[in-house]
Amino acid sequence: MTELIRAHQLDIMLFLCGACGMLILLLLMTRSITKRRKRDILLMEIMALLLLWSDRLAYIYAGDPSVMGYFMVRISNFMVFFLTPGIAFGFYRYLSGVLTTEGKVSSLPARMKAVGVISVFGMLLAVVSAFTGLYYYFDENNLYHRGRGFLIAYIIPVVAPFIMYTVAIQYRKLFSRQMFITLTMYLFVPVICGVIQIFTYGISIVNMAMVAVSLSLYISTYVDINYAVERAHRLEIWNMKDEQRRMQKLFDQTATAFVSAVENRDDFMKGRAVRTASYAKRIAELSGKSDEDCQKVYYAALLHDVGMIGIPDAVIKNGNDPSGPDREIIMKKPVIGREILSSITEYPYLAQAAYYSHERYNGSGYPEGLKGTDIPEIARIVAVADAYVIMTTKKRYRDARPDLVAREAFVKGSGEKFDPVFADIMVRIIDSDKKTASEEDAASAGTGLSCGEYRDSISDGINVDNNVRRISFECVPNKKSDDEFSSPSIILYDSFDNRVHNDEKSIKENHYYEYGELWFDEHMISTGIRKSEIRRLDRKENPAGGTGYEIIAAKFEDHVRLVMSSPALEKEVIIALPDSSRSVYIGLTGEHCEIKGINITMTGETVSDGDIPCIAEAVSYTDHLESDIGNIQADRTRSASTEGIEIDGRFRLAFHTMSLPGANLIWHCPYIVLFSSDNGMVGGENYREYALIKLNGENEEVSRNSQNKFTVRRNDDFPGWDVWLEKNKEGMECEVSFERKNGYVIVKTENLGIELDCITETDPSVKVYAALTGDQVALTDIRFL
């Protein structure tokens, strides 16, 4: 290795000199380094260049007897020994500058200052040596020889780096990892090479090593600066984002305050804008919009109704549904909103949403009567969210509509009033927001009632299902005279919003159905049940003074069992409902009494077939012709299904469908299930569901097991939803075609003008089955064609 270096060292020196020269030129042009660091690196690079160039000249002119050779050998060797401690001095300057200027070190350690002194002393010794022969001398042939004090020349280049390294370690935290490694190399590589050179005559390893590490110092400085720039850039970005967050927060607070000022004009409007904005953002998220677009949708929805500020109080507080002149005034709201928000030029989508959010997908909206995708997308999203909030918010002239009514409105209005994509997403949101029965009980029943005249105060409904519930409370009379009757009682009913209704409009709107009223004695009033029976009536001894009441309630299919306890007696009542399709709620009420401490708990028990005594035969609507596949009756959502039919090739299936008497929603109709299972039955072992197709045209996502391409179209034969519901209740014939081809299952059907096509991708090696099911529907005469 040494022979190789010896043979090519002049070329290596020339290359390193050229590299040093290039770095000097780059340093002169650079502006990204501090003046002090730039000056110190420039000094080290110039000295490194001169050192190596002088060393190269010393080798070139060694033994040259000419006058030029005589002077060049002496000058070049002097420069080599002078610049060796000079580079140590240059590095002292560099490290001192980094510590004091950039590291903010107020006072350098004494040993660091000593390095500067001894480096200067080393350069002075080089001058003395040039005249005394201390380090080197030349013979009569103009050849270089080491002097008696040659090793003294290497004391300072060896000792100084060790001292400076101790300082670098002391202030380690001020250097990046890359820079610390480079400093270590700069300090120790020449030292190691110097030790080697003592025993290797005729090779300038030290000088070449010093130039090489000088180059690495320059490169590391740039890397360090780039890191600092990146860090500063990240900090700047963080500061910009922080400023953006603060501005966003300020905008949010300002917008919310402005909206609150508008909504404070009417108690029935309070909170509506925030709810609309929240639902609009959820729709945007579920449709795959970016975070930025979701934020735009949120604020567009939050401010879309600011035009209400220009509507007179007399119109806003009108106790009736706006019509005639009042409606014409209300229809000016989008124009007013756009005028207000158009001044916010940075966010043009705000004015856009305010102006177009009352347009309808079929062109029946206002102010311009746009239709379809001509309506800006952000306005189509806001329109859906706004419609849901309006429907489910109490107004001055009507109560809030239940979620089921809102859901039906979106199913009916999909592709008509509303963008079908966003309407379908809203349906999914409504479905996902359904609370469990226990949550409804705890949230809605309240803790107490003050009852005057009978039924003037009624709790929200407590759901009754196959999970046994215990309802307990305290009741004390609040009679004004001894002649007044005082007692708690319960109302059994079914309602979309879980509440009792008395006026004809809300009864119709919420599909309210009352089964009867029961007291905590032997009395009850039956208004809508098939049959009731008091199975047990136990009177208690010493009932005086007691205030505790308890109800244990459970339901299975079309039978309800109630165990009602009072201080005076306990009774067990069995009730047969009109059919199994209905829900049951208990409303607590009373007459001239105070009901306190209402507590609802789940006992942990469930009832099943046979646990409740049967007092009436089940109502069946399947007593009709039975063909290839057995008849079924689905009293509730998918409560019954046919056996699976393997889809292998192509076939058609026909059947008769009839909605049950209690059916009143458009999804109370037949469904088609595509699935696989070991036994070919819905819910069987290793069950996987691929698609759920509702004949009313809903595209319900049931699984991620497959990809479904679902299309629905209402053709000219569609009679409208009211007639569609009526025809389903009367009963009608349906026909469905199935085909499996190249791993795809294709299902097609058309019923009363609703055309459905569903293409489902499945694993060709897996058996796929189809089954019929539904919600509140009887399916009979199921046959192959």
Side-chain angles (χ1 to χ4, degrees):
M1 185 68 180
T2 55
E3 294 303 321
L4 181 66
I5 295 174
R6 195 189 306 275
H8 298 284
Q9 72 173 335
L10 292 180
D11 294 332
I12 296 172
M13 288 178 177
L14 184 62
F15 171 76
L16 291 173
C17 287
C20 257
M22 290 298 298
L23 290 184
I24 290 170
L25 290 175
L26 291 174
L27 272 168
L28 291 172
M29 292 186 290
T30 189
R31 296 182 179 181
S32 56
I33 305 176
T34 61
K35 289 182 178 180
R36 171 67 187 268
R37 184 183 281 200
K38 179 179 179 179
R39 186 170 61 247
D40 293 337
I41 295 177
L42 197 59
L43 174 63
M44 286 191 293
E45 295 297 335
I46 291 172
M47 287 194 293
L49 173 62
L50 292 175
L51 172 65
L52 199 58
W53 187 257
S54 298
D55 203 9
R56 186 172 184 273
L57 290 176
Y59 279 101
I60 291 173
Y61 287 100
D64 184 349
S66 67
V67 175
M68 174 67 75
Y70 178 84
F71 285 104
M72 290 304 297
V73 165
R74 284 158 177 76
I75 294 172
S76 60
N77 277 280
F78 166 75
M79 292 296 292
V80 168
F81 282 93
F82 180 81
L83 290 173
T84 298
I87 288 182
F89 179 77
F91 191 76
Y92 155 76
R93 289 271 308 165
Y94 174 80
L95 188 58
S96 299
V98 172
L99 293 175
T100 56
T101 305
E102 299 178 26
K104 307 298 182 184
V105 176
S106 57
S107 178
L108 293 173
R111 63 186 185 279
M112 185 68 180
K113 296 176 181 177
V115 169
V117 174
I118 63 175
S119 297
V120 173
F121 180 71
M123 289 186 285
L124 291 175
L125 281 179
V127 175
V128 172
S129 175
F131 297 100
T132 62
L134 179 65
Y135 293 162
Y136 56 89
Y137 66 92
F138 303 97
D139 61 15
E140 62 277 6
N141 296 319
N142 204 27
L143 292 174
Y144 164 89
H145 296 278
R146 291 178 178 178
R148 289 170 302 182
F150 173 78
L151 292 177
I152 299 173
Y154 284 89
I155 293 175
I156 293 173
V158 170
V159 173
F162 277 107
I163 296 173
M164 287 189 283
Y165 186 67
T166 63
V167 175
I169 291 177
Q170 180 179 346
Y171 296 101
R172 171 71 180 83
K173 293 182 179 180
L174 297 180
F175 303 103
S176 67
R177 182 172 177 272
Q178 173 72 29
M179 180 54 69
F180 187 77
I181 292 173
T182 302
L183 292 178
T184 304
M185 290 174 56
Y186 194 91
L187 293 170
F188 288 109
V189 169
V191 171
I192 295 169
C193 291
V195 174
I196 296 172
Q197 184 155 344
I198 291 173
F199 304 100
T200 309
Y201 190 76
I203 302 177
S204 295
I205 302 175
V206 174
N207 296 338
M208 288 189 288
M210 293 183 79
V211 172
V213 293
S214 295
L215 296 175
S216 70
L217 180 65
Y218 174 82
I219 294 169
S220 293
T221 299
Y222 256 93
V223 171
D224 197 41
I225 289 170
N226 286 338
Y227 173 76
V229 170
E230 288 176 5
R231 185 173 56 186
H233 179 67
R234 287 195 299 268
L235 182 61
E236 184 180 6
I237 294 295
W238 187 89
N239 287 332
M240 289 175 62
K241 288 184 177 179
D242 184 59
E243 179 68 18
Q244 188 179 27
R245 283 191 293 268
R246 288 191 285 111
M247 292 298 295
Q248 185 76 30
K249 185 177 180 181
L250 178 62
F251 179 76
D252 181 73
Q253 291 172 340
T254 304
T256 304
F258 179 47
V259 167
S260 296
V262 175
E263 292 182 338
N264 282 337
R265 298 178 63 198
D266 183 11
D267 290 341
F268 292 92
M269 290 175 59
K270 289 182 178 179
R272 203 176 86 183
V274 172
R275 283 188 68 208
T276 302
S278 298
Y279 280 110
K281 186 178 180 181
R282 288 179 67 184
I283 293 170
E285 289 171 343
L286 290 172
S287 66
K289 302 296 180 189
S290 66
D291 291 343
E292 182 181 355
D293 286 341
C294 289
Q295 283 296 105
K296 289 180 179 180
V297 169
Y298 178 86
Y299 288 108
L302 184 70
L303 294 167
H304 84 283
D305 243 359
V306 296
M308 289 296 289
I309 201 168
I311 306 301
D313 286 345
V315 176
I316 292 175
K317 296 180 179 180
N318 185 358
N320 299 312
D321 195 356
S323 60
D326 283 357
R327 178 164 176 76
E328 291 179 6
I329 294 172
I330 289 289
M331 289 174 68
K332 294 178 181 178
K333 180 181 64 172
V335 178
I336 299 170
R338 183 175 67 172
E339 290 175 355
I340 294 171
L341 297 174
S342 59
S343 59
I344 308 177
T345 55
E346 289 296 315
Y347 307 120
Y349 55 86
L350 299 177
Q352 194 178 60
Y355 187 67
Y356 293 109
S357 59
H358 292 278
E359 300 286 359
R360 293 295 173 255
Y361 203 73
N362 59 5
S364 62
Y366 63 90
E368 295 188 5
L370 299 182
K371 63 166 59 177
T373 55
D374 290 340
I375 306 167
E377 184 181 56
I378 196 167
R380 283 179 269 145
I381 295 174
V382 173
V384 171
D386 185 46
Y388 174 74
V389 172
I390 288 174
M391 281 188 277
T392 56
T393 301
K394 182 178 175 63
K395 287 182 171 287
R396 197 176 298 277
Y397 50 86
R398 64 158 174 82
D399 288 332
R401 294 190 174 110
D403 275 350
L404 285 175
V405 172
R407 186 187 192 282
E408 186 177 51
F410 285 115
V411 175
K412 288 181 177 179
S414 178
E416 294 292 328
K417 288 185 176 181
F418 309 111
D419 184 301
V421 173
F422 303 131
D424 291 347
I425 292 174
M426 191 68 239
V427 169
R428 280 160 43 200
I429 291 173
I430 294 171
D431 290 344
S432 69
D433 285 350
K434 287 181 179 177
K435 297 180 179 179
T436 64
S438 59
E439 289 174 330
E440 292 172 353
D441 290 346
S444 64
T447 58
L449 297 168
S450 180
C451 303
E453 297 300 322
Y454 181 56
R455 293 180 63 147
D456 69 352
S457 183
I458 306 170
S459 74
D460 287 345
I462 303 165
N463 188 39
V464 181
D465 56 21
N466 66 330
N467 296 298
V468 180
R469 287 170 172 76
R470 178 179 285 108
I471 307 161
S472 60
F473 58 89
E474 300 288 322
C475 182
V476 296
N478 65 1
K479 298 188 295 184
K480 295 180 180 179
S481 68
D482 293 338
D483 296 334
E484 291 181 337
F485 176 75
S486 175
S487 175
S489 62
I490 65 172
I491 304 169
L492 289 182
Y493 64 94
D494 184 15
S495 176
F496 278 0
D497 66 350
N498 310 344
R499 294 181 175 88
V500 173
H501 295 277
N502 296 308
D503 65 279
E504 185 177 347
K505 183 178 179 181
S506 62
I507 287 173
K508 182 179 179 181
E509 195 168 75
N510 291 281
H511 296 267
Y512 179 76
Y513 185 90
E514 190 166 304
Y515 303 116
E517 303 157 281
L518 293 87
W519 283 260
F520 286 82
D521 54 22
E522 63 273 17
H523 292 95
M524 66 177 293
I525 298 175
S526 173
T527 53
I529 60 180
R530 286 193 291 146
K531 187 177 181 180
S532 64
E533 188 177 297
I534 298 177
R535 305 280 291 194
R536 180 166 54 87
L537 187 64
D538 299 329
R539 298 190 183 277
K540 298 180 180 179
E541 297 181 1
N542 303 319
T547 60
Y549 290 78
E550 184 180 85
I551 305 165
I552 297 176
K555 170 182 178 287
F556 182 77
E557 300 294 346
D558 59 350
H559 276 60
V560 175
R561 180 176 65 193
L562 299 173
V563 178
M564 303 175 64
S565 299
S566 71
L569 60 80
E570 180 177 289
K571 69 176 180 181
E572 180 182 3
V573 183
I574 307 298
I575 296 170
L577 304 174
D579 56 51
S580 301
S581 65
R582 300 178 185 272
S583 298
V584 175
Y585 296 93
I586 293 175
L588 300 179
T589 186
E591 186 174 358
H592 301 299
C593 63
E594 297 287 336
I595 297 175
K596 302 177 182 179
I598 301 173
N599 185 40
I600 305 161
T601 58
M602 309 290 286
T603 67
E605 301 174 72
T606 59
V607 295
S608 57
D609 192 16
D611 290 336
I612 299 177
C614 181
I615 61 173
E617 293 294 326
V619 178
S620 175
Y621 298 94
T622 60
D623 189 17
H624 295 277
L625 178 66
E626 189 167 283
S627 297
D628 299 321
I629 298 172
N631 300 339
I632 64 163
Q633 178 173 314
D635 294 312
R636 295 170 306 284
T637 304
R638 301 181 64 179
S639 60
S641 303
T642 66
E643 62 186 64
I645 308 162
E646 185 181 354
I647 307 174
D648 185 12
R650 180 186 300 178
F651 66 90
R652 288 186 299 158
L653 198 66
F655 56 90
H656 183 271
T657 176
M658 183 181 71
S659 298
L660 303 185
N664 40 44
L665 295 167
I666 61 174
W667 55 83
H668 291 160
C669 65
Y671 302 168
I672 301 164
V673 187
L674 302 182
F675 67 96
S676 64
S677 68
D678 290 350
N679 62 357
M681 301 296 290
V682 173
E685 192 172 349
N686 293 320
Y687 180 78
R688 296 182 68 186
E689 191 162 301
Y690 302 114
L692 177 64
I693 304 164
K694 300 182 179 181
L695 295 199
N696 69 324
E698 284 190 62
N699 177 18
E700 185 166 331
E701 293 186 0
V702 295
S703 173
R704 294 182 179 178
N705 293 321
S706 63
Q707 294 291 326
N708 291 309
K709 182 181 179 183
F710 185 89
T711 57
V712 58
R713 189 175 74 89
R714 297 172 200 154
N715 61 34
D716 294 338
D717 294 333
F718 179 65
W721 287 111
D722 291 339
V723 175
W724 194 87
L725 279 169
E726 183 182 337
K727 292 292 185 183
N728 272 269
K729 280 208 170 187
E730 291 175 359
M732 64 179 187
E733 290 294 316
C734 295
E735 185 178 316
V736 185
S737 69
F738 299 87
E739 181 181 4
R740 192 170 192 191
K741 185 177 181 181
N742 299 327
Y744 291 91
V745 175
I746 303 167
V747 181
K748 294 185 178 183
T749 182
E750 179 186 347
N751 299 284
L752 290 178
I754 299 179
E755 298 178 12
L756 301 177
D757 290 288
C758 182
I759 302 175
T760 302
E761 183 179 0
T762 61
D763 184 346
S765 64
V766 175
K767 289 184 178 181
V768 177
Y769 298 87
L772 298 180
T773 181
D775 189 358
Q776 297 198 33
V777 67
L779 305 179
T780 58
D781 192 18
I782 306 170
R783 61 201 183 276
F784 293 103
L785 296 178

